[in-house]
Amino acid sequence: MRSSRSSVSRTLGPAVLAALLLIPHAASPAGAAPGDEDSPSLPGVSATVADGRPCTARSAKKSARVPWAQSFLGIGRAWELSRGAGVKVAVVSTGADTRRVPALDGRVTGGRDVVAGGTVGDDCVGYGTFLAGLVAGKRQEGLAAAGVAPEARVIAVRATDKGGLTTPEALADGIRAATATGARIIHVALAVPSAPRKLEAAVAAARKAGALVVAPASAREWEGGPGAARAESGPVYPAALPGVLAVSSVGPGGEPDRRGTEPGRRTQPRLSAPGVSVTGPGPGGGGQFTGGGDAVAGAFVAGTAALVLAYHPELSGEQVAHRLEATAYGAAGDAPDPEAGFGVVDPVRALSAVLPEEHASPPPSSGTRNASAAHAVPPLDPPTARDHALAVVGGAAAVTLLVAFLAVVLPRGRRRGWRAGGTGGPAASAE
């Protein structure tokens, strides 16, 4: 029995090897070159650091792989139309490490620190640095990861204390500081349990100035910590305020982040985007981190909005929001889904789609778009879990058939000394 198993192993060994050599390396990331060695894991970055804990340490790890979110959204194809040039995005969060992070060099500048005063130049928590990189981080040598709109400019506004906690009043000041920079997109990457008149007025002023305000649909990144919301349910702000684009997170298969269904403060999302195990830059240097949450998903939406504004500069903030919702992947009907809103943001469709209300409008002149947007690209459907499953099953079936075929052919070839077999079926089988 043992010799029989050994014979089968020797027979299948070359067959399996041949099968693997014939299969394209679809499972390998598009950006990973031969010889690239990825870190087995990247450190995580959180929205807060606990009292008494040190600031987030720099990461010494990197991955050459194309981040799943980047592939899922088809960002490479969107860059054929727009890279966000000329668009200013404000990120209201924990600040940004503007001096030591190569991905942010020339892309991110420090805005006001509305809590401690002065100008932002560091980021103890690291969350704002991470989000700024997702919006507009540039490519680094040997790495495939980049921001959604790598030619946009980010203004980092800090509206938190050193540990990442904020108040409705500080958040209102942060939004006003962001509006004062002239940013067309304001990603408020924070959430609070109430909206005093000061916060309502700040959001209204931002919208009146023509800015699109993007915010996380839940407060789960801040719940459970010191000063966090104590209520188990209820809306979260500024996401629940009129005109704000509330965003929730989805995982690699496009499914809603299950944490979004747990008790806690949450507002009905209008869009969703990747927000689970996302790769991006962080504080302290050129290393990479992983992060997640609705604020991370909001960074992808803010970056996509920057692409759209660079390609359609005539649009208002409200029109950009409408375009993002109308072209979302999986959008169906007039009512948003309780977990995913109108669907997953789709950068290529958001750029290239002609909406029904635009059919009667003349096309914009050639001078109103980026030089890089000289041609249209058909929309790209992001891969779903079923697509991945079908690809895996199809590949496995092909391997199985090929292995079975070679398992029969190779032994017979050896027995015949690799001479051609007889032409007649019965004669050939009489060996």
Side-chain angles (χ1 to χ4, degrees), residues 64-399:
R65 297 175 180 272
V66 177
W68 76 263
Q70 201 167 309
S71 299
F72 181 82
L73 295 178
I75 291 173
R77 293 188 67 193
W79 288 342
E80 297 178 36
L81 295 176
S82 172
R83 291 175 180 260
V87 178
K88 188 182 295 183
V89 182
V91 176
V92 182
S93 184
T94 61
D97 187 342
T98 60
R99 302 183 182 93
R100 300 180 295 172
V101 183
L104 306 191
D105 185 30
R107 299 292 190 272
V108 180
T109 57
R112 281 185 56 200
D113 182 338
V114 301
V115 174
T119 301
V120 170
D122 58 11
D123 182 8
C124 176
V125 179
Y127 203 57
T129 302
F130 185 79
L131 299 176
L134 295 181
V135 173
K138 66 180 181 180
R139 291 278 292 270
Q140 301 176 65
E141 185 176 354
L143 299 180
V148 179
E151 293 182 8
R153 293 294 181 267
V154 172
I155 308 297
V157 175
R158 178 152 54 222
T160 71
D161 61 14
K162 186 177 180 180
L165 298 179
T166 191
T167 65
E169 292 72 24
L171 198 51
D173 291 338
I175 293 171
R176 287 198 177 275
T179 303
T181 68
R184 294 292 310 279
I185 302 151
I186 301 176
H187 177 27
V188 185
L190 299 165
V192 291
S194 63
R197 184 169 299 180
K198 183 178 181 179
L199 181 55
E200 291 182 1
V203 170
R207 294 182 60 208
K208 186 176 181 180
L212 169 63
V213 180
V214 180
S218 77
R220 61 175 175 257
E221 281 75 53
W222 298 272
E223 289 176 334
R230 298 292 193 269
E232 291 188 357
S233 62
V236 65
Y237 299 94
L241 293 176
V244 176
L245 191 58
V247 182
S248 63
S249 58
V250 297
E255 72 284 352
D257 185 355
R258 289 294 100 188
R259 294 180 304 163
T261 62
E262 296 175 358
R265 286 196 168 270
R266 189 170 187 270
T267 292
Q268 165 70 61
R270 298 191 65 81
L271 275 179
S272 54
V276 177
S277 300
V278 170
T279 301
Q288 292 180 304
F289 292 78
T290 60
D294 290 355
V296 167
F300 284 107
V301 171
T304 302
L307 296 180
V308 170
L309 267 177
Y311 192 62
H312 299 280
E314 74 283 357
L315 297 181
S316 67
E318 292 182 355
Q319 289 172 324
V320 171
H322 170 66
R323 174 169 279 272
L324 295 179
E325 292 173 357
T327 58
Y329 180 73
D334 298 326
D337 180 85
E339 294 183 2
F342 287 103
V344 180
V345 69
D346 187 331
V348 178
R349 282 179 173 172
L351 289 166
S352 62
V354 177
L355 302 182
E357 61 268 25
E358 297 172 346
H359 282 299
S361 303
S365 62
S366 58
T368 63
R369 292 186 177 180
N370 253 329
S372 63
H375 61 283
V377 175
L380 172 71
D381 285 347
T384 63
R386 185 180 66 175
D387 296 332
H388 287 306
L390 290 175
V392 171
V393 171
V399 171

Side-chain angles (χ1 to χ4, degrees), residues 381-422:
D381 285 347
T384 63
R386 185 180 66 175
D387 296 332
H388 287 306
L390 290 175
V392 171
V393 171
V399 171
T400 301
L401 291 174
L402 185 57
V403 168
F405 172 75
L406 294 176
V408 173
V409 171
L410 292 178
R412 289 188 175 182
R414 288 194 184 97
R415 289 199 300 271
R416 291 196 302 266
W418 303 106
R419 296 188 303 276

